[in-house]
């Protein structure tokens, strides 16, 4: 009888623990309830210039202004990665620049804070506002 | 019981760490930092300046990790001892007074990221020939005796001043092809 009384709470605890954990597969390809399109819309901006190098140098100097240390950059691929230490945590951000047609550049950013993806559109909005100032260009929403 | 409650509270709070609201906004403080971390060099080609920087990084014991010459980027790092006299004394005092063992800094990875960018005229943003800004940032990742780590960006004005003094010499040596 005693065992039965204990069994129910024990089952509940096991269920609570198991359901609280995402499986590895879910973590590898997670997008936290947002669709790919939603993510792209706030992580992407379009600039009216055909000069990839200038946009990339602007991205690098914007990241530096935001106290990021730029770790990797590749002009051919159009990728820049940097990390920033804030309040003992690490923000890691990568930005890609690619041509759209012959007169525009698409800039896309994504970042994580500690072990969490940054999914707050305001953070990206702030980043692109800083980038606009650095490039002397106005960003357009697109994609 | 209290310890369990505290542990739970810590677990719950740790899950709720959010991005600081101004993490992607350039603040006045960061603009001041830009001044400290940047110097302008005139009358030199970009490759020569990057070569001078890489020579200086090697002079100061860094090994190169990554580079992209087309965008003026160099990343270098070095591993060094991080033991600190004051910290050891404090740890011993705490151990004597409370019996608790405090982990102390053991070793560290110091990283230097250097970016060279063409100088632009103030008004229209036009590129000035043979004139470049060099910006350097130093970070360190410190490992403690219990293998936990902490990270920080170094912001001592003297450190950056010293770096640029040395870079001026390296640029001179580069110009003389020494």
């Amino acid at each position: 009888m005693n065992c039965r009384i204990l069994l129910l709470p024990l089952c509940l605890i096991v269920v609570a623990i198991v359901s609280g954990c995402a499986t590895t597969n879910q973590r590898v390809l997670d997008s936290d309830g947002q669709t790919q399109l939603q993510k792209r819309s706030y992580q992407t901006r379009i600039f009216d210039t055909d000069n990839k190098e200038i946009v990339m140098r602007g991205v690098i100097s914007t990241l530096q202004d935001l106290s990021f240390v730029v770790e990797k950059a590749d002009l051919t691929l159009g990728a820049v990665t940097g990390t920033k230490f804030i309040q003992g945590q690490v923000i890691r951000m990568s930005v890609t620049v690619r041509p759209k047609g012959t007169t525009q550049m698409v800039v896309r950013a994504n970042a994580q804070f500690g072990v969490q993806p940054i999914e707050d559109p305001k953070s990206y909005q702030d980043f692109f506002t800083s980038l606009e100032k650095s490039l002397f260009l106005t960003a357009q929403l697109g994609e | 019981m209290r310890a369990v409650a505290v542990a739970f509270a810590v677990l719950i709070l740790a899950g709720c760490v959010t991005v600081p609201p101004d993490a992607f906004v350039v603040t006045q403080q960061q603009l001041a930092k830009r001044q400290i971390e940047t110097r302008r060099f005139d009358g030199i080609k970009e490759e020569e300046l990057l070569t001078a920087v890489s020579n200086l990084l090697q002079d100061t014991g860094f090994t190169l990790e990554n580079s992209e010459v087309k965008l003026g980027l160099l990343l270098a790092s070095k591993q060094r001892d991080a033991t600190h006299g004051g910290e050891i004394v404090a740890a011993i005092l705490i151990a004597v007074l409370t019996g608790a063992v405090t982990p102390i800094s053991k070793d560290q990875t110091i990283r230097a990221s250097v970016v060279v960018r063409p100088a632009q005229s103030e008004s229209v943003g036009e590129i000035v020939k043979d004139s470049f800004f060099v910006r350097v940032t130093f970070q360190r990742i410190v490992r403690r005796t219990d293998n936990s780590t902490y990270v920080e960006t170094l912001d001592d004005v003297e450190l950056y001043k010293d770096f640029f003094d040395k870079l001026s010499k390296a640029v001179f040596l580069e110009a003389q092809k020494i």
Side-chain angles (χ1 to χ4, degrees):
Chain A
M1 188 62 197
N2 256 349
C3 275
R4 272 197 190 165
I5 294 169
L6 277 176
L7 202 63
L8 186 66
L10 199 68
C11 280
L12 281 175
I13 289 170
V14 169
V15 167
I17 290 169
V18 172
S19 64
C21 298
T23 65
T24 305
N25 280 2
Q26 282 167 341
R27 291 244 157 86
V28 172
L29 298 175
D30 64 351
S31 57
D32 290 275
Q34 293 176 322
T35 65
Q36 282 168 285
L37 266 176
Q38 276 173 324
K39 278 205 164 171
R40 285 185 195 195
S41 71
Y42 66 74
Q43 291 183 347
T44 310
R45 292 290 185 281
I46 296 170
F47 291 90
D48 283 327
T49 173
D50 60 348
N51 196 328
K52 192 179 188 182
E53 189 183 325
I54 286 205
V55 175
M56 289 203 69
R57 284 187 189 263
V59 168
I60 290 172
S61 98
T62 304
L63 284 172
Q64 285 190 303
D65 284 347
L66 291 166
S67 302
F68 278 84
V69 156
V70 180
E71 285 177 350
K72 281 179 198 147
D74 188 317
L75 180 64
T76 318
L77 194 63
V80 182
T81 304
T83 53
K84 166 177 177 161
F85 297 156
I86 184 167
Q87 297 170 3
Q89 294 276 344
V90 180
I91 297 182
R92 201 171 156 77
M93 186 169 206
S94 70
V95 183
T96 54
V97 179
R98 62 173 208 276
K100 180 185 168 78
T102 49
T103 56
Q104 291 181 314
M105 285 288 155
V106 178
V107 180
R108 175 170 185 182
N110 74 309
Q112 59 178 53
F113 175 72
V115 294
Q116 308 272 351
I118 296 179
E119 285 168 331
D120 166 24
K122 190 189 168 287
S123 296
Y124 296 97
Q125 176 65 51
D126 288 343
F127 171 75
F128 287 117
T129 306
S130 304
L131 182 60
E132 282 180 328
K133 284 180 195 154
S134 163
L135 290 173
F136 300 100
L137 288 170
T138 310
Q140 300 160 31
L141 287 163
E143 285 286 272
Chain B
M1 195 61 207
R2 192 181 283 176
V4 174
V6 169
F8 263 109
V10 167
L11 264 181
I12 291 164
L13 286 177
C16 301
V17 178
T18 50
V19 188
D22 57 350
F24 293 92
V25 181
V26 181
T27 59
Q28 280 301 318
Q29 216 180 346
Q30 282 166 329
L31 288 178
K33 244 180 102 191
R34 175 161 73 182
Q35 298 290 326
I36 295 165
E37 294 179 357
T38 311
R39 285 289 184 287
R40 183 174 171 155
F41 289 85
D42 296 307
I44 186 167
K45 297 265 179 292
E46 188 170 13
E47 288 89 75
E48 289 170 353
L49 193 49
L50 276 168
T51 311
V53 172
S54 80
N55 273 328
L56 170 60
L57 287 170
Q58 284 189 295
D59 292 344
T60 44
F62 284 90
T63 49
L64 288 180
E65 259 184 37
N66 220 324
S67 63
E68 172 66 319
V69 175
K70 287 181 229 163
L71 294 168
L73 172 76
L74 283 178
L75 182 80
S77 71
K78 61 179 172 184
Q79 279 76 39
R80 289 291 183 269
D81 186 70
T83 47
H84 185 266
E87 205 183 17
I88 296 170
V89 172
I92 292 171
L93 274 178
I94 291 170
V96 170
L97 293 173
T98 66
V101 179
T102 331
I104 53 165
S105 305
K106 186 167 66 176
D107 49 35
Q108 59 185 336
T109 301
I110 304 168
R111 301 202 303 172
S113 165
V114 185
V115 175
V116 173
R117 69 185 156 91
Q120 289 173 308
S121 61
E122 290 286 324
S123 49
V124 281
E126 204 174 281
I127 288 170
V128 183
K129 196 174 173 277
D130 288 348
S131 191
F132 297 91
F133 285 113
V134 177
R135 180 166 182 171
V136 64
T137 314
F138 293 99
Q139 286 179 333
R140 65 183 198 133
I141 302 149
V142 183
R143 195 157 57 121
R144 297 196 190 94
T145 41
D146 63 350
N147 275 338
S148 62
T149 55
Y150 70 93
V151 292
E152 64 178 354
T153 302
L154 303 177
D155 48 13
D156 182 2
V157 179
E158 281 303 311
L159 172 71
Y160 290 92
K161 197 177 159 293
D162 198 18
F163 177 84
F164 285 114
D165 285 349
K166 287 196 164 87
L167 183 57
S168 299
K169 280 178 201 145
V171 165
F172 173 76
L173 292 175
E174 189 58 36
Q176 304 297 316
K177 301 284 174 224
I178 296 169

